[in-house]
Amino acid sequence: MTDEREHKRRQRVKRIRDWLNVDNIVDASVDLFLILFDVLSSPILIVMRLVRFVIGNYLLGGVKNKIKKVAHWLEGKHPLLQIWAWTIIVCVSGVILTLMWLFGTAFGEFIMEEWGHQALNLDE
């Protein structure tokens, strides 16, 4: 039991050491600086990044999961049913993704129209 715990602990430490190298630390610090600079130059980007995160994780993830469920359900079904179902899935997915893109673009335009002038002007 103790040997197994020690082995798992060593594996965790090894994974952390593999991840913490100079390249990853430099990349992370540059990304952090760029994000902070963007936020300071335009605070509305915080809201936009949160909305993008929610849409990316939950809405698109949900669509992908539904498609996977239908794909597993269609295994072994009649070929005509498969063709019909995949045609419907492709069409509905295209419509959903197009609507998400349109609403995202409209929301972004609305945000810039309402609060775009409040960004920091770094030229002064």
Side-chain angles (χ1 to χ4, degrees):
M1 192 71 139
T2 307
D3 292 335
E4 184 178 331
R5 285 184 189 172
E6 183 65 25
H7 180 68
K8 287 182 180 181
R9 187 189 68 77
R10 285 183 184 163
Q11 285 180 339
R12 283 192 302 264
V13 170
K14 185 179 182 311
R15 277 183 278 184
I16 291 171
R17 284 184 183 161
D18 289 344
W19 189 81
L20 287 177
N21 58 33
V22 174
D23 289 336
N24 288 345
I25 292 172
V26 169
D27 288 342
S29 61
V30 167
D31 290 342
L32 184 63
F33 172 75
L34 290 174
I35 289 171
L36 288 175
F37 181 75
D38 282 346
V39 168
L40 289 176
S41 65
S42 181
I44 196 61
L45 288 176
I46 296 172
V47 176
M48 293 300 291
R49 288 182 193 278
L50 287 174
V51 169
R52 185 176 173 203
F53 174 76
V54 168
I55 288 173
N57 274 356
Y58 298 109
L59 294 180
L60 291 179
V63 169
K64 286 193 289 188
N65 286 336
K66 299 297 185 223
I67 291 172
K68 287 178 184 179
K69 285 181 183 179
V70 171
H72 289 298
W73 179 77
L74 284 174
E75 288 178 3
K77 303 286 188 208
H78 192 273
L80 278 171
L81 177 64
Q82 289 180 352
I83 292 170
W84 179 80
W86 282 114
T87 304
I88 297 294
I89 287 172
V90 168
C91 291
V92 169
S93 297
V95 168
I96 289 172
L97 291 174
T98 303
L99 288 174
M100 288 172 62
W101 173 73
L102 286 173
F103 284 123
T105 303
F107 182 72
E109 291 293 325
F110 171 74
I111 292 296
M112 290 308 292
E113 185 177 306
E114 291 294 319
W115 295 290
H117 65 281
Q118 293 179 359
L120 290 176
N121 190 356
L122 298 176
D123 294 333
E124 294 178 356

PDB file of all heavy atoms in Angstrom, residues 108-120:
ATOM      1  N   GLY A 108     -20.971  41.452 -30.111  1.00  0.00           N
ATOM      2  CA  GLY A 108     -19.704  42.179 -30.139  1.00  0.00           C
ATOM      3  C   GLY A 108     -19.872  43.591 -30.676  1.00  0.00           C
ATOM      4  O   GLY A 108     -19.296  44.547 -30.137  1.00  0.00           O
ATOM      5  N   GLU A 109     -20.666  43.758 -31.724  1.00  0.00           N
ATOM      6  CA  GLU A 109     -20.930  45.091 -32.265  1.00  0.00           C
ATOM      7  C   GLU A 109     -21.676  45.950 -31.257  1.00  0.00           C
ATOM      8  O   GLU A 109     -21.391  47.136 -31.102  1.00  0.00           O
ATOM      9  CB  GLU A 109     -21.723  44.987 -33.567  1.00  0.00           C
ATOM     10  CG  GLU A 109     -20.938  44.411 -34.715  1.00  0.00           C
ATOM     11  CD  GLU A 109     -19.810  45.330 -35.145  1.00  0.00           C
ATOM     12  OE1 GLU A 109     -19.979  46.564 -35.097  1.00  0.00           O
ATOM     13  OE2 GLU A 109     -18.746  44.801 -35.518  1.00  0.00           O
ATOM     14  N   PHE A 110     -22.639  45.340 -30.565  1.00  0.00           N
ATOM     15  CA  PHE A 110     -23.393  46.072 -29.545  1.00  0.00           C
ATOM     16  C   PHE A 110     -22.474  46.542 -28.423  1.00  0.00           C
ATOM     17  O   PHE A 110     -22.544  47.691 -27.991  1.00  0.00           O
ATOM     18  CB  PHE A 110     -24.511  45.189 -28.980  1.00  0.00           C
ATOM     19  CG  PHE A 110     -25.195  45.782 -27.786  1.00  0.00           C
ATOM     20  CD1 PHE A 110     -26.074  46.834 -27.926  1.00  0.00           C
ATOM     21  CD2 PHE A 110     -24.936  45.287 -26.518  1.00  0.00           C
ATOM     22  CE1 PHE A 110     -26.700  47.383 -26.822  1.00  0.00           C
ATOM     23  CE2 PHE A 110     -25.545  45.826 -25.404  1.00  0.00           C
ATOM     24  CZ  PHE A 110     -26.441  46.889 -25.555  1.00  0.00           C
ATOM     25  N   ILE A 111     -21.614  45.667 -27.969  1.00  0.00           N
ATOM     26  CA  ILE A 111     -20.684  46.022 -26.889  1.00  0.00           C
ATOM     27  C   ILE A 111     -19.771  47.163 -27.329  1.00  0.00           C
ATOM     28  O   ILE A 111     -19.550  48.126 -26.587  1.00  0.00           O
ATOM     29  CB  ILE A 111     -19.851  44.789 -26.481  1.00  0.00           C
ATOM     30  CG1 ILE A 111     -20.730  43.738 -25.813  1.00  0.00           C
ATOM     31  CG2 ILE A 111     -18.695  45.172 -25.574  1.00  0.00           C
ATOM     32  CD1 ILE A 111     -21.352  44.168 -24.519  1.00  0.00           C
ATOM     33  N   MET A 112     -19.222  47.065 -28.539  1.00  0.00           N
ATOM     34  CA  MET A 112     -18.323  48.117 -29.010  1.00  0.00           C
ATOM     35  C   MET A 112     -19.062  49.437 -29.210  1.00  0.00           C
ATOM     36  O   MET A 112     -18.510  50.502 -28.961  1.00  0.00           O
ATOM     37  CB  MET A 112     -17.634  47.690 -30.306  1.00  0.00           C
ATOM     38  CG  MET A 112     -16.609  46.584 -30.102  1.00  0.00           C
ATOM     39  SD  MET A 112     -15.396  46.932 -28.809  1.00  0.00           S
ATOM     40  CE  MET A 112     -14.495  48.260 -29.563  1.00  0.00           C
ATOM     41  N   GLU A 113     -20.322  49.364 -29.629  1.00  0.00           N
ATOM     42  CA  GLU A 113     -21.099  50.593 -29.817  1.00  0.00           C
ATOM     43  C   GLU A 113     -21.418  51.254 -28.483  1.00  0.00           C
ATOM     44  O   GLU A 113     -21.374  52.468 -28.359  1.00  0.00           O
ATOM     45  CB  GLU A 113     -22.391  50.262 -30.557  1.00  0.00           C
ATOM     46  CG  GLU A 113     -23.223  51.475 -30.903  1.00  0.00           C
ATOM     47  CD  GLU A 113     -24.450  51.079 -31.695  1.00  0.00           C
ATOM     48  OE1 GLU A 113     -24.293  50.397 -32.730  1.00  0.00           O
ATOM     49  OE2 GLU A 113     -25.554  51.446 -31.264  1.00  0.00           O
ATOM     50  N   GLU A 114     -21.709  50.434 -27.485  1.00  0.00           N
ATOM     51  CA  GLU A 114     -22.082  50.982 -26.183  1.00  0.00           C
ATOM     52  C   GLU A 114     -20.883  51.418 -25.354  1.00  0.00           C
ATOM     53  O   GLU A 114     -20.905  52.453 -24.718  1.00  0.00           O
ATOM     54  CB  GLU A 114     -22.893  49.945 -25.389  1.00  0.00           C
ATOM     55  CG  GLU A 114     -24.263  49.669 -25.961  1.00  0.00           C
ATOM     56  CD  GLU A 114     -25.163  50.891 -25.873  1.00  0.00           C
ATOM     57  OE1 GLU A 114     -25.136  51.598 -24.844  1.00  0.00           O
ATOM     58  OE2 GLU A 114     -25.889  51.135 -26.848  1.00  0.00           O
ATOM     59  N   TRP A 115     -19.824  50.589 -25.322  1.00  0.00           N
ATOM     60  CA  TRP A 115     -18.715  50.840 -24.411  1.00  0.00           C
ATOM     61  C   TRP A 115     -17.353  50.951 -25.084  1.00  0.00           C
ATOM     62  O   TRP A 115     -16.337  51.051 -24.414  1.00  0.00           O
ATOM     63  CB  TRP A 115     -18.635  49.742 -23.352  1.00  0.00           C
ATOM     64  CG  TRP A 115     -19.825  49.725 -22.466  1.00  0.00           C
ATOM     65  CD1 TRP A 115     -20.159  50.655 -21.535  1.00  0.00           C
ATOM     66  CD2 TRP A 115     -20.835  48.731 -22.418  1.00  0.00           C
ATOM     67  NE1 TRP A 115     -21.327  50.304 -20.919  1.00  0.00           N
ATOM     68  CE2 TRP A 115     -21.765  49.114 -21.441  1.00  0.00           C
ATOM     69  CE3 TRP A 115     -21.057  47.551 -23.113  1.00  0.00           C
ATOM     70  CZ2 TRP A 115     -22.885  48.376 -21.137  1.00  0.00           C
ATOM     71  CZ3 TRP A 115     -22.177  46.801 -22.809  1.00  0.00           C
ATOM     72  CH2 TRP A 115     -23.077  47.226 -21.834  1.00  0.00           C
ATOM     73  N   GLY A 116     -17.315  50.931 -26.389  1.00  0.00           N
ATOM     74  CA  GLY A 116     -16.041  50.968 -27.099  1.00  0.00           C
ATOM     75  C   GLY A 116     -15.265  52.249 -26.874  1.00  0.00           C
ATOM     76  O   GLY A 116     -14.045  52.256 -26.880  1.00  0.00           O
ATOM     77  N   HIS A 117     -15.958  53.358 -26.641  1.00  0.00           N
ATOM     78  CA  HIS A 117     -15.279  54.632 -26.430  1.00  0.00           C
ATOM     79  C   HIS A 117     -14.628  54.723 -25.056  1.00  0.00           C
ATOM     80  O   HIS A 117     -13.847  55.626 -24.803  1.00  0.00           O
ATOM     81  CB  HIS A 117     -16.277  55.791 -26.598  1.00  0.00           C
ATOM     82  CG  HIS A 117     -17.353  55.789 -25.554  1.00  0.00           C
ATOM     83  ND1 HIS A 117     -18.451  54.928 -25.636  1.00  0.00           N
ATOM     84  CD2 HIS A 117     -17.505  56.484 -24.409  1.00  0.00           C
ATOM     85  CE1 HIS A 117     -19.236  55.132 -24.578  1.00  0.00           C
ATOM     86  NE2 HIS A 117     -18.686  56.072 -23.831  1.00  0.00           N
ATOM     87  N   GLN A 118     -14.916  53.779 -24.162  1.00  0.00           N
ATOM     88  CA  GLN A 118     -14.367  53.826 -22.809  1.00  0.00           C
ATOM     89  C   GLN A 118     -13.001  53.157 -22.694  1.00  0.00           C
ATOM     90  O   GLN A 118     -12.431  53.094 -21.624  1.00  0.00           O
ATOM     91  CB  GLN A 118     -15.330  53.161 -21.827  1.00  0.00           C
ATOM     92  CG  GLN A 118     -16.623  53.934 -21.662  1.00  0.00           C
ATOM     93  CD  GLN A 118     -17.574  53.247 -20.715  1.00  0.00           C
ATOM     94  OE1 GLN A 118     -17.273  52.173 -20.201  1.00  0.00           O
ATOM     95  NE2 GLN A 118     -18.717  53.844 -20.493  1.00  0.00           N
ATOM     96  N   ALA A 119     -12.490  52.665 -23.809  1.00  0.00           N
ATOM     97  CA  ALA A 119     -11.164  52.023 -23.770  1.00  0.00           C
ATOM     98  C   ALA A 119     -10.104  53.070 -23.461  1.00  0.00           C
ATOM     99  O   ALA A 119     -10.260  54.256 -23.741  1.00  0.00           O
ATOM    100  CB  ALA A 119     -10.874  51.353 -25.110  1.00  0.00           C
ATOM    101  N   LEU A 120      -9.033  52.638 -22.841  1.00  0.00           N
ATOM    102  CA  LEU A 120      -7.929  53.559 -22.533  1.00  0.00           C
ATOM    103  C   LEU A 120      -7.273  54.009 -23.833  1.00  0.00           C
ATOM    104  O   LEU A 120      -6.999  53.208 -24.711  1.00  0.00           O
ATOM    105  CB  LEU A 120      -6.890  52.860 -21.654  1.00  0.00           C
ATOM    106  CG  LEU A 120      -7.302  52.558 -20.236  1.00  0.00           C
ATOM    107  CD1 LEU A 120      -6.181  51.786 -19.547  1.00  0.00           C
ATOM    108  CD2 LEU A 120      -7.597  53.816 -19.456  1.00  0.00           C
TER     109      LEU A 120
END
